[in-house]
Amino acid sequence: MINGPFLLYLGHSTDPVGIKTSRGLADFRRQDCIGEFRYDDCPLTLGLPRMTLAEGAAAGARTLVLGIANSGGTMDPALIDDAAEALDNGMHVVSGLHQRLRDVPRLAGLAAAKGLDLIDVRNPPADLKVGTGRPRAGRRVLTVGTDCSVGKMYTTIALAQGLKARGETADFRATGQTGILIAGSGVPLDAVVADFISGAIEQLAPARDDGGWDVIEGQGSLFHPSFAGVSTGLIHGAQAEALVLCHDPARQGMRGLPERTLPSLAECLALNLRMAGLTSPGVRAAGVCLNTSSLAEEAARELCESTGMELGLPCTDPVRFGVDNVIDNLLCPAS
C-alpha cells in the first residue's frame, strides 16, 4: 500500500490515455489526492488543484506519483529532474514505468541521503512459479479487450464493486501498475518473465472455497502484436469461468500501431473464448463493456443496446450506466 496524500504527475503529457495511472488514482483514491503537477504545455487535467512540487509538499503531499505511461516505460531527463525536485521537497516518489527509479544513480543517492523511498510498482514477486493449468476451486471472471487501454481496469473494479453490492464476496485482482496502486496489491504482469506469467495469475487468484469471486484485471489484447503474449499467459492462468469483453468504439487503430485495425467484437470474443478454453473448458462470455466517453449519452445508450443485440449479450458502459446487467448474467446466466 502506497501511503497518501498524493501529488499526481502529468508533466508534459498530451495523450489522455497516457495519464491513465494518475487518472485512475484520481477516480478511485481521490480522497488521497491533494493535487496535480503539470506544465503549461500539458492540456490535460484531472480536476484537481494545480500545484508546483514545492506547493504540493507544503500542502501535505507525502508522495509524488509518476502516473504516466509511454512506449517502453522509460524516463526522460526532464522526468528525472522532476523526481529529484520532489525528493528535494521531502516527498517519496512512486513510478509505474518499466525503467526503475532505483536504477537511476542520481535519484537513488538523493533518496538515500534524505531517508525517502523510491517505489517501483512494476516489481514482480521473486517467488513466482511456472503455471500448471490444473483445475482449481473458486469462481473467477476476467476482463479482456480488443486493444490496450480500452477500459479493462475500470470494468474490473466496477464488477468487483457490483458483486459486493449484491452481497457476494469479491476481490479485485490487479495486474497492472494503476490497479496495483488503487488496490494496494497485485502482480505487474508485464514485468514478469514470460515463463511465469500464467503461474503469477494462479498465485494471484489461487483456489478458494468460500464461494467468492476473484475479479481479474485483463491486460493488452490477443490482437495486439506487442502485447498478445502477456494477454495469452493471463488468460491461461486466470482459468476464468466467464469473460467480459471491453472495447472503445472511438478507437480507429491499435494503440501504438495505428496502421492496424481492431478486430470485430465477435471475432475478438471468439478468439478469447477459444484461448481460455485451454484451462477452463466451460468458459463463457458474461457481457460486453464499452468506453463511450467520446459519445453523447443517448448515442452511447443506443450503441450499448445495438451491440448487446448483435452479440446476444448484456452490454453497458460501466462508468455511465453501471454493470448490473452484466452481473445479472454472471450470477444467473441466460439459458
Side-chain angles (χ1 to χ4, degrees), residues 230-312:
V230 174
S231 306
T232 302
L234 171 52
I235 287 171
H236 292 159
Q239 201 176 106
E241 71 173 74
L243 304 181
V244 175
L245 178 63
C246 302
H247 175 63
D248 180 353
R251 192 70 58 87
Q252 298 298 309
M254 288 283 179
R255 180 160 171 76
L257 298 173
E259 70 278 9
R260 284 190 170 266
T261 58
L262 271 66
S264 70
L265 293 179
E267 179 186 15
C268 186
L269 190 57
L271 182 59
N272 275 278
L273 288 169
R274 181 180 176 188
M275 297 296 286
L278 178 71
T279 56
S280 184
V283 66
R284 62 185 178 87
V288 179
C289 286
L290 304 179
N291 174 358
T292 66
S293 57
S294 63
L295 301 176
E297 183 162 332
E298 187 57 34
R301 197 178 298 277
E302 290 175 359
L303 181 61
C304 289
E305 290 176 359
S306 63
T307 301
M309 290 181 64
E310 178 184 347
L311 297 175

Side-chain angles (χ1 to χ4, degrees), residues 134-216:
R134 297 188 184 109
R136 65 189 190 273
R139 309 200 72 180
R140 290 173 294 278
V141 57
L142 170 70
T143 53
V144 296
T146 55
D147 192 9
C148 308
S149 305
V150 290
K152 293 184 288 292
M153 186 200 73
Y154 276 72
T155 295
T156 309
I157 293 175
L159 289 170
Q161 292 175 340
L163 284 165
K164 290 177 182 178
R166 299 285 187 97
E168 300 284 330
T169 300
D171 296 294
F172 166 54
R173 302 301 187 189
T175 60
Q177 71 270 25
T178 310
I180 292 169
L181 283 168
I182 292 167
S185 63
V187 174
L189 205 60
D190 58 5
V192 172
V193 173
D195 278 358
F196 299 95
I197 290 175
S198 61
I201 299 304
E202 291 179 358
Q203 183 171 310
L204 179 67
R208 61 189 299 171
D209 57 9
D210 63 351
W213 290 85
D214 286 308
V215 190
I216 305 170

Side-chain angles (χ1 to χ4, degrees), residues 64-122:
L64 175 70
V65 180
L66 301 176
I68 59 172
N70 56 46
S71 180
T74 58
M75 302 178 197
D76 61 28
L79 183 65
I80 292 172
D81 286 344
D82 291 335
E85 185 179 342
L87 292 166
D88 278 329
N89 279 279
M91 285 185 279
H92 309 292
V93 180
V94 172
S95 172
L97 297 169
H98 282 294
Q99 183 181 358
R100 288 171 168 79
L101 293 164
R102 64 176 180 268
D103 292 337
V104 180
R106 177 186 174 192
L107 299 180
L110 191 56
K114 291 184 169 292
L116 295 168
D117 295 327
L118 298 176
I119 302 169
D120 294 296
V121 178
R122 275 189 167 120

